[in-house]
Amino acid sequence: MEEVYDLIILGAGPAGLSAGLYAARGNLKTLILEKGIVGGQLQVTLDVENYPGMDHVTGPQISDAMEAQTRRFGCEIMTGTKVLSVDLKSQPKIIKSDKGDFRAKSIIIASGSEHKHLGVPGENEYNGKGVSYCAVCDGAFFKNKELVVVGGGSSAVEEGNFLTKFASKVTLIHRRDELRAERILQNRFKANPKTDIIYDTVVDKIDGDFLGVTGLTLRNLKTGAVTDFKADGVFIYVGLQPNTEFLGTATANGSGSLITEAGIAVDETGKILANHKMETNIPGVYAAGDIRNTPLKQAVTAASDGSLAATMAIGFVEALEDSHLPA
Ligand SMILES: Cc1cc2nc3c(=O)[nH]c(=O)nc-3n(C[C@H](O)[C@H](O)[C@H](O)COP(=O)(O)OP(=O)(O)OC[C@H]3O[C@@H](n4cnc5c(N)ncnc54)[C@H](O)[C@@H]3O)c2cc1C
């Protein structure tokens, strides 16, 4: 008979690791399935200045500490295991992965999000040859080069600041007339002599040759003017999309809600709708971290979501077991 876990957590970012810690410490037989390596987006975050109690640490330092603590309480973590589909209506629930099937009484979806692409000509062609979505990973390849960062949120501005350590110049291209980034990050970027900002402008095309990126074709949204802009590399930070492929396509049901093929309710951007207890519309299935419709997407809120989801899963599994006891 195949093993049934009390809880399986999908994703080993801060939400999944925190959920694993609380669940294993709460005595649930818990497994985390992770398609890549442990840490989620923290693996590509250089300086984290706003995780309470941990001043000036790197993202990997936080996730390494979380992983060690979670494993210490007996949570299993299986990396390199991609979840492909789920059957959430059966009990136990079934998870199909590229490493086989798993069964669990309860599930926490903590699969986070990934960077959106611009979808312009040249982006795929020069991906890895000057186009990047990770300053921490690729910044050092651009010593004394001229770089462009696309976006106006905190990630774009923070990573732009980081890139000035290597680049001779970093130009931020933003489609609006003001940045959305936290004020402290904006001020730091604007005070740096190596930086510049071009507002009201979008990238129409990424240009290059056999060696890689050579520039961009830009379009001013107010004047319509199209210009060529020289650049040796482009870092793209234009938002995140939720990792929900394994839930299937979402379609509108009769009452106007969007429901995925796996039966989970999502909002119009694909993020999972969960209440303040992290409960989704399916009993025993919870969502935590960036994957859910939360107004703040940070490591600390993801960890908080994970702890709450695990606490609710403990209650669900205990109630399920009680219901099977003889009267
Ligand atoms: C560049 C950058 C800088 C940031 N800076 C900060 C900061 O300074 N402070 C801060 O608090 N936050 C910061 N954040 C945000 C923070 O990292 C995220 O909010 C947080 O990591 C979200 O955690 P999560 O666990 O919900 O999701 P994620 O970290 O996205 O983790 C989800 C995990 O699920 C896995 N997964 C996805 N799909 C599947 C599947 N099908 N099967 C199995 N596994 C799957 C992924 O591989 C990933 O490991 C930053 C993010 C970025 C990108």
Side-chain angles (χ1 to χ4, degrees):
M1 185 72 170
E2 208 177 295
E3 184 167 23
V4 178
Y5 285 88
D6 289 325
L7 171 66
I8 293 185
I9 299 162
L10 315 185
L17 290 171
S18 163
L21 165 65
Y22 272 72
R25 193 166 175 274
N27 232 7
L28 291 195
K29 183 169 177 49
T30 307
L31 170 68
I32 303 180
L33 298 176
E34 166 56 52
K35 70 174 175 179
I37 57 168
V38 167
Q41 292 168 61
L42 284 181
Q43 281 297 351
V44 295
T45 305
L46 192 75
D47 289 324
V48 179
E49 294 181 333
N50 54 6
Y51 197 88
M54 299 180 93
D55 206 4
H56 277 100
V57 285
T58 65
Q61 279 171 332
I62 298 181
S63 75
D64 286 354
M66 282 184 176
E67 178 184 1
Q69 194 180 9
T70 300
R71 285 190 190 274
R72 188 162 70 78
F73 285 103
C75 179
E76 288 177 53
I77 304 176
M78 204 178 278
T79 53
T81 307
K82 183 173 183 177
V83 174
L84 302 174
S85 66
V86 284
D87 176 356
L88 303 176
K89 287 170 193 154
S90 61
Q91 186 55 263
K93 299 165 197 317
I94 299 164
I95 297 156
K96 292 188 180 299
S97 82
D98 58 0
K99 298 281 159 52
D101 294 358
F102 298 88
R103 299 192 302 156
K105 294 172 190 164
S106 62
I107 289 183
I108 297 176
I109 304 171
S111 47
S113 45
E114 278 173 12
H115 284 291
K116 275 188 188 160
H117 287 211
L118 285 174
V120 298
E123 184 175 15
N124 289 340
E125 193 180 345
Y126 297 110
N127 191 354
K129 293 184 194 166
V131 173
S132 173
Y133 305 85
C134 178
V136 178
C137 319
D138 299 330
F141 296 120
F142 294 93
K143 287 206 175 84
N144 299 319
K145 302 284 186 191
E146 295 188 12
L147 296 178
V148 160
V149 173
V150 186
S154 290
S155 290
V157 175
E158 189 171 13
E159 301 312 298
N161 271 321
F162 171 69
L163 288 169
T164 60
K165 291 184 185 181
F166 309 102
S168 56
K169 189 171 177 202
V170 176
T171 305
L172 197 72
I173 311 278
H174 186 40
R175 65 193 165 126
R176 299 188 203 283
D177 57 7
E178 60 179 340
L179 303 178
R180 281 181 294 106
E182 284 172 64
R183 190 66 63 189
I184 184 173
L185 297 174
Q186 289 193 37
N187 292 345
R188 204 176 288 164
F189 188 82
K190 288 172 184 169
N192 190 318
K194 285 184 176 179
T195 66
D196 196 7
I197 305 176
I198 301 177
Y199 293 102
D200 301 316
T201 297
V202 292
V203 176
D204 271 353
K205 187 166 164 272
I206 297 172
D207 305 303
D209 59 21
F210 68 100
L211 286 174
V213 168
T214 54
L216 308 165
T217 305
L218 303 179
R219 181 166 43 92
N220 185 297
L221 290 174
K222 288 202 168 142
T223 64
V226 173
T227 49
D228 291 333
F229 191 87
K230 183 184 168 308
D232 303 301
V234 192
F235 286 77
I236 298 167
Y237 292 97
V238 291
L240 297 161
Q241 61 189 17
N243 291 320
T244 51
E245 303 90 338
F246 54 86
L247 295 177
T249 311
T251 47
N253 70 359
S255 57
S257 307
L258 285 171
I259 303 284
T260 66
E261 287 168 63
I264 290 284
V266 295
D267 70 10
E268 63 290 345
T269 64
K271 293 187 196 80
I272 296 176
L273 294 170
N275 65 17
H276 67 288
K277 295 179 183 174
M278 309 299 129
E279 293 164 330
T280 68
N281 57 313
I282 298 183
V285 181
Y286 307 86
D290 279 16
I291 195 71
R292 77 175 186 95
N293 63 327
T294 169
L296 184 62
K297 293 184 177 54
Q298 291 278 276
V300 68
T301 48
S304 164
D305 281 7
S307 65
L308 192 44
T311 305
M312 293 302 121
I314 292 169
F316 177 83
V317 170
E318 286 174 355
L320 197 66
E321 284 166 359
D322 287 350
S323 70
H324 291 141
L325 289 176

